[in-house]
Amino acid sequence: QTRFLLDGVDITEEHQGGTWIQTSVDALQEFSVQQNAYSAEFHGAGATFNVTTKSGGNAFHGSVFEFMRDDAFDSKNFFAVNKEKLERNQFGGTLGGPVMIPGMYDGRNKTFFFASYEGHRRQQGIVDVSNVPSAAQRQGNFSGLAPIFDPLSTTTVGGVATRTQFANNQIPANRISPQAQFFLQYIPLPNAPNNQYVSNPITSFNADQLTLRLDQEISSQHRFFARYSKHANQEDREDRWDTLGSTRLEGPAFNVALSLTSNFGSSLVHELRFSRMYGEYRST
């Protein structure tokens, strides 16, 4: 129920919650969280999270960053058979300043630009421990375990139900259903004690964020800005069992915002905003 605003326009993802556009931290000028006592411009049953992007100035400024994590610096998970994979890189940069066209246009004090890019690349293994049937149990052999009773042998005498245990605690081969035999082909054999299967399925995640902003001082009374934001990500998830393959989730989204702010005297400010939002999830 949280409402997400970017430069005053709504970027809330209504289906699963959260936001379509995840702007790089280096592109943010300020943010605020309002939980109650909203003014007329805000709405939403929960909190309102409002973020403002940076704009350029009369001087050129930029930044470059890189964050890295790697399994070479990690120890093995206690429950894992092998060390789980981890390669994570988060990188990007920003650049802002006046719009300058040598010999044609000098945008100082009038026209400013700001650009931001951030990329995210991650491959990460997560330890998974599953209980799976042994080779003997796949054949119906449960000897040494709790008694297995024949469900077709239940009889009631004097209101008391009695059941017959399978001989040697083993289900006959002709009593194992074709449906069970079909699904067993997708369940791996144990690779650890106590009928456990330990795996390190890898999740691969790639994301790219782009923010472009243009500010224009039209006059002392009128200011205009336009912003374009794009966020694209792709996530491939291996299943805990190799036999089940993997799934892919993609979520491209973009947002265009236009704003004109006008001052009419010392006590009247008018702001006109336009926004176009697009986003989707694709799963394969």
Side-chain angles (χ1 to χ4, degrees), residues 173-186:
N174 62 354
R175 295 290 301 279
I176 301 177
S177 71
Q179 291 84 357
Q181 293 174 352
F182 173 81
F183 285 108
L184 280 172
Q185 67 180 316
Y186 295 103

Side-chain angles (χ1 to χ4, degrees), residues 30 80 100 136 148 154 173 245 273:
E30 62 181 29
M100 304 286 287
I148 301 295
T154 302
R273 296 190 188 121

